[in-house]
Amino acid sequence: MRVPPTVQLVLFGGGGDLAHRKLVPALYDLHREGHLPAEVDVVGVDMAEMDDGGFASFACDAATSLGRFFPKDAANQDWDAFEERLAYVQGDVTQAETFERLRERLDALAPDGEAPHRVFYLSVAPFLVEPIVRGLTEAHLLDDIVRSRIVIEKPFGHDLESARALDRTLTETIDESQVYRIDHYLGKETVQNMLAFRFANVLFEPIWDARYVDHVQITVAETVGVEHRGGYYEGAGALRDMVQNHLLQLLCLVAMEPPVAFQADEVRNKKVDVLRAVRPIAPDRVHEVAVRGQYGSGFLGGAEVPAYRAEPNVDPHSTTETYAALKLEVDNWRWHGVPFYLRTGKRMPRRVSEVSVQFRPVPHRAFPAGADEAWQPNRLVIRIQPDEGIVLRFQAKRPGPSMLLHPVAMRFDYDDAFETPPEAYETLLLDAIRGDATLFMRADQVETAWEVVQPVLDAWAESPPAEFPNYASGTWGPAAADRMLAHDGRSWFEPLPPDPTPAGMAPEAAIEARPASVAQEG
């Protein structure tokens, strides 16, 4: 889709943290690379007392400190051109007069005789979504279904019931086609690369099913704790904050059927089909397929770090989980019988997001005795962050007079093949401006994702954990998560290290130069 010639992008929460860290730097980087239209206005709306000049200073600080490109001095022409497009409206979004002032400002900025495309980005607390949508509607700023749209940040509800209530509020006032529910994970280049890997290559699709795949593991691990988000996290937890959106999105990309065309509704239909095929979790089986954890004190990077309950704005007796692991099964023709293991946690040993596809063993090993002592099943690892790339493990003959097999790896490194990729918010902001909803979630997808995790939320709410904290900071989570996989005769894969090549070893063999636990993982 083409970028419309005239665009007005309104940032609600324009003076807030997300605008400073992500949105403004992304917009400036898009401007520097020539992706924004010449006629674009960026209008911040916030309670903070600022004028246009104050918002420009706020934006300059954001772009300078956090953008991929930034002004090197006050005379930078790129920044001057961008700064001219910045405007600010101060006001309370629960008051109708704020939207009247916003409409007047947008009308004044619009070129004569042109109807601009208007994108309203809601970088605000969830409870403000409804008053903003109603305020925009009453000010007739969302009347044009084609040229006006809103972008809503997660969380999309707190549970299934609240998600449905939010969707009812939205559809009572605007058309579903105008709603862009943003999950920044879908904007990551390496997440999108999963679609290209699966559907632009003939090599893997014929074996991408239950006949050849043993199981799939999806890991999103963070080294950080809750930092300054303790107040928010206490009401969320790992299952709501990460699994219901990010990890289920990755599962959809792994398990979806090939789309007929790369069009928004076609791609989103295939994702919804996956979520609808996920086997419902019976309340009496939650303890078998779901594990929760909370980090205690420990060591990371040689430094001692506090327990979750000792973090700022956290209840000292908190039962909020900072770790969640699920075993899900997709009951359709392609994936029946293949378990998907999902885990996410804070204060893990390394920051890593990756998908590991473990293939089944060969049906017969026709090699001499002892030739395959080091044999391991084929495994495909898609690393999303950091050190983005793809690694394929297969067997090769070790050099020498005897037939000895050894696992080796073929490796694709994203940074070696391409230039520095854009940030996720650059991709998603540009798609919202274009009106391309492919990477945004539809109401039915959000609600179906909540349906997957709601039985776990209910069971955990009814039975608060007695053993928290149950894993030390700097470890890979609670022992119960290991037992969940051990019950199936499997174990968690240790994510690939940042530099897996020990001194003196060829890169191809490095994936297997690991502790004994790795050699046993198949």
Side-chain angles (χ1 to χ4, degrees), residues 40 78 82 141 246 256 280 348-349 385:
V40 61
D78 285 316
F82 184 71
L141 288 169
H246 298 336
M256 65 185 280
M348 302 277 99
Q385 66 180 16

Side-chain angles (χ1 to χ4, degrees), residues 133-403:
V133 173
R134 293 198 182 280
L136 291 171
T137 303
E138 291 169 3
H140 301 287
L141 288 169
L142 293 174
D143 289 355
D144 191 329
I145 293 178
V146 176
R147 289 187 173 87
S148 62
R149 60 196 67 99
I150 62 171
V151 182
I152 303 177
E153 278 278 348
K154 77 173 186 71
F156 312 109
H158 187 74
D159 53 18
L160 177 59
E161 183 179 351
S162 59
R164 286 173 172 166
L166 175 59
D167 286 332
R168 285 195 298 270
T169 297
L170 294 173
T171 54
E172 285 173 1
T173 53
I174 57 177
D175 191 81
E176 168 65 22
S177 65
Q178 295 176 274
V179 183
Y180 286 56
R181 298 167 184 83
I182 189 170
D183 183 342
H184 74 272
Y185 240 64
L186 292 180
K188 292 180 181 294
E189 284 289 323
T190 42
V191 172
Q192 297 176 68
N193 202 42
M194 291 174 66
L195 291 172
F197 175 80
R198 284 197 57 198
F199 303 132
N201 300 288
V202 74
L203 291 175
F204 291 99
E205 195 60 25
I207 60 171
W208 205 260
D209 59 30
R211 295 172 301 166
Y212 297 98
V213 175
D214 179 77
H215 72 282
V216 177
Q217 295 187 20
I218 301 175
T219 296
V220 177
E222 300 176 282
T223 57
V224 298
V226 293
E227 298 179 307
H228 62 281
R229 300 173 69 221
Y232 159 77
Y233 206 83
E234 273 290 87
L239 193 64
R240 289 184 174 93
D241 190 48
M242 296 294 289
V243 176
Q244 186 272 337
N245 40 75
H246 298 336
L247 273 75
L248 288 183
Q249 289 291 334
L250 295 177
L251 184 150
C252 289
L253 291 172
V254 173
M256 65 185 280
E257 294 297 316
V260 174
F262 197 72
Q263 297 171 349
D265 276 337
E266 174 67 11
V267 172
R268 296 194 290 184
N269 287 343
K270 301 301 184 185
K271 292 180 181 179
V272 174
D273 286 345
V274 173
L275 293 173
R276 287 175 175 162
V278 172
R279 182 181 302 172
I281 300 175
D284 61 350
R285 292 195 63 241
V286 168
H287 68 284
E288 299 175 12
V289 299
V291 173
R292 54 184 159 172
Q294 186 187 93
Y295 65 81
S297 59
F299 290 86
L300 270 170
E304 188 172 7
V305 294
Y308 173 73
R309 292 177 174 181
E311 300 277 17
N313 301 315
V314 171
D315 183 344
H317 304 289
S318 174
T319 58
T320 299
E321 80 281 357
T322 62
Y323 176 99
L326 292 182
K327 173 188 174 181
L328 299 177
E329 297 191 61
V330 180
D331 285 336
N332 61 18
W333 187 281
R334 182 185 290 264
W335 295 112
H336 183 77
V338 177
F340 287 76
Y341 300 105
L342 283 59
R343 65 171 171 172
T344 184
K346 291 186 175 296
R347 294 293 192 205
M348 302 277 99
R350 291 204 308 277
R351 170 180 171 265
V352 61
S353 298
E354 68 178 35
V355 175
S356 291
V357 180
Q358 178 88 353
F359 292 93
R360 297 187 183 277
V362 294
H364 174 65
R365 302 185 202 175
F367 296 96
D372 57 358
E373 288 183 354
W375 179 91
Q376 294 182 22
N378 300 133
R379 177 156 58 98
L380 181 73
V381 180
I382 302 173
R383 171 65 68 84
I384 296 166
Q385 66 180 16
D387 307 307
E388 294 87 347
I390 300 173
V391 177
L392 174 65
R393 179 176 68 190
F394 62 99
Q395 315 305 315
K397 179 186 175 298
R398 183 188 293 274
S402 301
M403 172 59 75

